[in-house]
Amino acid sequence: HRPQGGSHAEDAQGEAGPRRRSPKRQVPAGLFRELYGLGELVGAPGLRFKVVRLEAEELRSAEKVRRKGHWPGYEKIDRYPIALLGEVDIGSPDELWKLLPEMPEQFPEEITAAEFAALTGLGTDFSRMALKVFCRCGLAEETGKRGRARVYALPGSEKYSRETEYGGNRTD
C-alpha cells in the first residue's frame, strides 16, 4: 500500500518510492479565508503582501501509523518546494481583485454570492468570504436581500481590467 498525495515514501532502507501527485490544488483565491479572519485590518492602507504559488513535494515515512479514524496513515517527514508557479503582489486593498481566478468584463449592478461565484469561478463559500472582504475594504457594499440571499453592489469593479495577475496557468 502506497501513500496518497504528491509525495515520496521512504522504505526501511531510506530509499525514495515512486512519486505520487495529489489532485488538490491551492489557488490564490483561497487567501480570502485568511483575509476574512483579519477583520477590519484587511482594509488598512499599509497592508501589503505577496502570494507565492509553489509546487511542493512532501516526504513521508513508509511506516504505517495509526491516525485518528484512518488506517494506515503515513508520517509526514518534510515538505520542500520544487517549482515556482507564479506570484501575485497586493500593494493596497484596491488590488485584491488580482486574487480572483476570472474577472468578467463587467459585473451587474447588484449581485449575490452565488452569481459572483458563477462569474469568477470561485465556490459559493469563497465568494461569500471574498464579498465580505471587499465590503471591509470599501470595494463593495451590502445593499439588501433577494429572498434569503444577500445582495451586494460592486461600484469600483469596472476600473479593474479583465486580466488578473493570478500567476501562472489558471486552468490547473
Side-chain angles (χ1 to χ4, degrees):
H1 209 298
R2 294 188 180 165
Q4 299 284 324
S7 65
H8 284 297
E10 284 187 347
D11 61 14
Q13 290 81 26
E15 296 291 320
R19 240 177 144 176
R20 309 273 303 204
R21 296 192 63 90
S22 171
K24 185 175 181 181
R25 299 282 179 259
Q26 298 293 329
V27 293
L31 190 62
F32 283 115
R33 176 171 283 146
E34 305 299 325
L35 292 173
Y36 182 78
L38 288 177
E40 299 301 320
L41 292 176
V42 77
L47 183 66
R48 298 176 44 112
F49 56 92
K50 182 179 287 207
V51 180
V52 179
R53 294 182 60 214
L54 298 172
E55 181 179 347
E57 190 162 88
E58 198 170 79
L59 187 63
R60 297 180 180 186
S61 140
E63 285 185 36
K64 294 179 181 175
V65 179
R66 181 176 282 286
R67 294 185 324 181
K68 237 183 202 176
H70 297 285
W71 176 258
Y74 296 90
E75 183 181 2
K76 294 178 187 174
I77 296 173
D78 201 2
R79 185 180 293 170
Y80 52 93
I82 296 175
L84 177 66
L85 300 176
E87 52 187 29
V88 180
D89 247 330
I90 305 294
S92 71
D94 289 343
E95 295 178 351
L96 287 173
W97 296 102
K98 294 178 184 180
L99 296 176
L100 296 176
E102 295 177 26
M103 187 75 168
E105 290 291 333
Q106 188 173 0
F107 283 108
E109 286 184 28
E110 291 188 331
I111 193 167
T112 64
E115 295 165 346
F116 189 79
L119 289 173
T120 60
L122 292 174
T124 309
D125 289 339
F126 278 130
S127 293
R128 277 191 205 103
M129 282 187 240
L131 287 167
K132 291 284 188 185
V133 168
F134 288 155
C135 285
R136 290 175 179 171
C137 294
L139 301 175
E141 59 184 58
E142 193 174 328
T143 59
K145 289 186 123 186
R146 188 182 310 148
R148 290 176 51 190
R150 292 185 175 165
V151 178
Y152 298 89
L154 303 169
S157 64
E158 63 275 351
K159 66 182 175 183
Y160 300 100
S161 70
R162 187 167 186 211
E163 290 299 314
T164 63
E165 289 186 30
Y166 200 67
N169 186 0
R170 292 193 298 204
T171 60
D172 60 332

